Amino acid sequence: MDDIAKRSLEHLDEFQADPENKSYHLSPEEYAARKGGILNELSQRRISQVNSSKKRGSMNDLAGMDGECNETSIRKLLDGYKRFRDHDLGVLTDKMKHLSNEGQDPCCMVLSCCDSRADPAIIFDIDPGDMFVMRNVANMCPKYAPPDEGTHGTCAAIEYAVTALKVPLLMVLGHAQCGGCAHANAICSKADKLPVDARFIDRWCFMAKDAVCTVIEKYDPQARGRQLELENVRLSVKRLLEYPWIKSAVDAGNLEVRGSFYTIFDGKLLLLGKDGNFYDADDVVDDPNMKSHPLKDRPGTPGKSGQSGVLGVESVPVHSE
């Protein structure tokens, strides 16, 4: 067993044993699946190492600069690039030429988390040019404030998507087992203010304090982990609707703002209804009254209840407020 696998297994066991992570502990099935995934990645690394040793050649100096860990990482990227050039690019050639000549015209913007396990392009199986994406820690939307001298990457991306690209849909995508939400819960539940020496991650996650206060008031400690992840999506949707250019676009019927939630273990997607509850996206996709996938809907599309843009509100909610 290599050092990468050993460290991964150690971190997994430490996470399960830490009482502060109680509300985020994995079920026996999730634990077994995560452990199996680590061991599977180990076997894939060994296969890759054998193959790379046969074809090392001129790439050896580049790939082996910082030892085995760096070689494995850069080799994985370069192998993926080769697959893209050999297979995917051929399928996408005409579309990529069109995007290069005509520019992008995405059908939506997705505000999602940086977590490597929750990639919106994979979850929604969407092509290049169809989705404008902003990823940050814990898929958070900052409170609206007029522009100042600070740097606001998330706000700038949202503004560009709505005012320049004029996307018809803005989707917040949260996910289960979110480390950013866990950190927000840890720091926001202990203090009303950040210390002067707070780190970047502390200051960012402190923006979720309103969501943390909500779940502390409503739920027992063992339920707060998942409920905070859901409440954080609701909070980001609420804050988005307070941005003036978003509010104007929504009022004009040109934009819809929605929330969603992805569970990593089973690959399920939940959609936030206008009633504040989360519903299984499979029920919406299979609904014969829905004329297209939720990502392709335009403002004013009736949901099951006949209300504009309401998704699945006649279904049984998976998670309620």
Side-chain angles (χ1 to χ4, degrees), residues 294-315:
L295 274 179
K296 301 292 186 182
D297 288 346
R298 293 298 184 262
T301 301
K304 287 185 177 180
S305 68
Q307 300 177 43
S308 175
V310 177
L311 281 176
V313 294
E314 291 184 357
S315 305

Side-chain angles (χ1 to χ4, degrees), residues 181-192:
C181 285
H183 189 61
N185 186 43
I187 61 173
C188 296
S189 59
K190 294 177 181 177
D192 292 330

Side-chain angles (χ1 to χ4, degrees), residues 209-226:
K209 186 168 179 61
D210 290 350
V212 173
C213 291
T214 297
V215 299
I216 288 176
E217 180 180 341
K218 289 185 176 182
Y219 301 101
D220 293 332
Q222 62 270 23
R224 289 175 188 165
R226 174 55 50 84

Side-chain angles (χ1 to χ4, degrees), residues 5-270:
K6 287 180 181 177
R7 285 197 300 270
S8 297
L9 291 172
E10 287 171 358
H11 291 163
L12 180 62
D13 290 337
E14 289 171 1
F15 177 86
Q16 285 290 87
D18 190 343
E20 291 189 3
N21 295 329
K22 184 176 180 180
S23 60
Y24 293 90
H25 280 175
L26 305 174
S27 68
E29 293 82 6
E30 290 174 319
Y31 178 81
R34 187 72 61 83
K35 187 173 182 179
I38 293 171
L39 296 177
N40 182 59
E41 288 178 0
L42 170 63
S43 65
Q44 292 299 321
R45 281 196 299 275
R46 286 177 173 168
I47 293 172
S48 178
Q49 288 165 9
V50 170
N51 291 337
S52 64
S53 67
K54 295 177 181 177
K55 325 176 177 175
R56 196 149 277 173
S58 61
M59 289 302 301
N60 194 36
D61 293 338
L62 174 62
M65 286 187 296
D66 295 321
E68 181 181 340
C69 182
N70 184 62
E71 179 179 350
T72 301
S73 298
I74 197 167
R75 175 59 62 185
K76 191 166 188 176
L77 295 180
L78 294 174
D79 286 348
Y81 169 69
K82 186 176 187 305
R83 290 193 301 273
F84 169 71
R85 294 286 299 179
D86 291 347
H87 305 289
D88 298 338
L89 186 59
V91 176
L92 294 170
T93 295
D94 291 342
K95 179 155 191 175
M96 300 304 282
K97 287 181 179 178
H98 175 79
L99 291 171
S100 178
N101 293 330
E102 304 297 329
Q104 59 178 323
D105 183 24
C107 72
C108 63
M109 175 182 180
V110 174
L111 175 60
S112 63
C113 183
C114 297
D115 195 300
S116 60
R117 302 166 296 174
D119 186 337
I122 294 176
I123 294 169
F124 295 116
D125 189 24
I126 209 157
D127 288 338
D130 289 344
M131 178 189 292
F132 189 77
V133 180
M134 177 66 201
R135 302 182 72 172
N136 63 36
V137 174
N139 45 269
M140 282 197 283
C141 176
K143 289 182 180 179
Y144 175 75
D148 55 26
E149 294 181 359
T151 52
H152 303 279
T154 297
C155 303
I158 295 168
E159 183 181 41
Y160 181 73
V162 175
T163 63
L165 296 177
K166 299 190 183 302
V167 295
L169 172 64
L170 209 172
M171 175 81 83
V172 178
L173 174 64
H175 70 93
Q177 298 166 309
C178 178
C181 285
H183 189 61
N185 186 43
I187 61 173
C188 296
S189 59
K190 294 177 181 177
D192 292 330
K193 293 183 179 181
L194 282 168
V196 293
D197 60 346
R199 302 170 298 169
F200 287 121
I201 188 68
D202 300 331
R203 295 182 183 279
W204 180 261
C205 290
F206 201 76
M207 288 194 301
K209 186 168 179 61
D210 290 350
V212 173
C213 291
T214 297
V215 299
I216 288 176
E217 180 180 341
K218 289 185 176 182
Y219 301 101
D220 293 332
Q222 62 270 23
R224 289 175 188 165
R226 174 55 50 84
Q227 292 301 330
L228 176 57
E229 293 164 348
L230 297 169
E231 187 62 30
N232 187 48
V233 173
R234 296 187 185 103
L235 179 61
S236 285
V237 169
K238 176 178 178 291
R239 286 177 174 171
L240 283 168
L241 292 169
E242 295 169 353
Y243 282 61
W245 59 85
I246 291 178
K247 186 177 186 303
S248 297
V250 170
D251 291 344
N254 297 323
L255 176 67
E256 191 162 8
V257 181
R258 289 181 176 170
S260 58
F261 186 81
Y262 175 70
T263 53
I264 295 168
F265 175 66
D266 58 6
K268 298 284 285 186
L269 184 74
L270 307 179

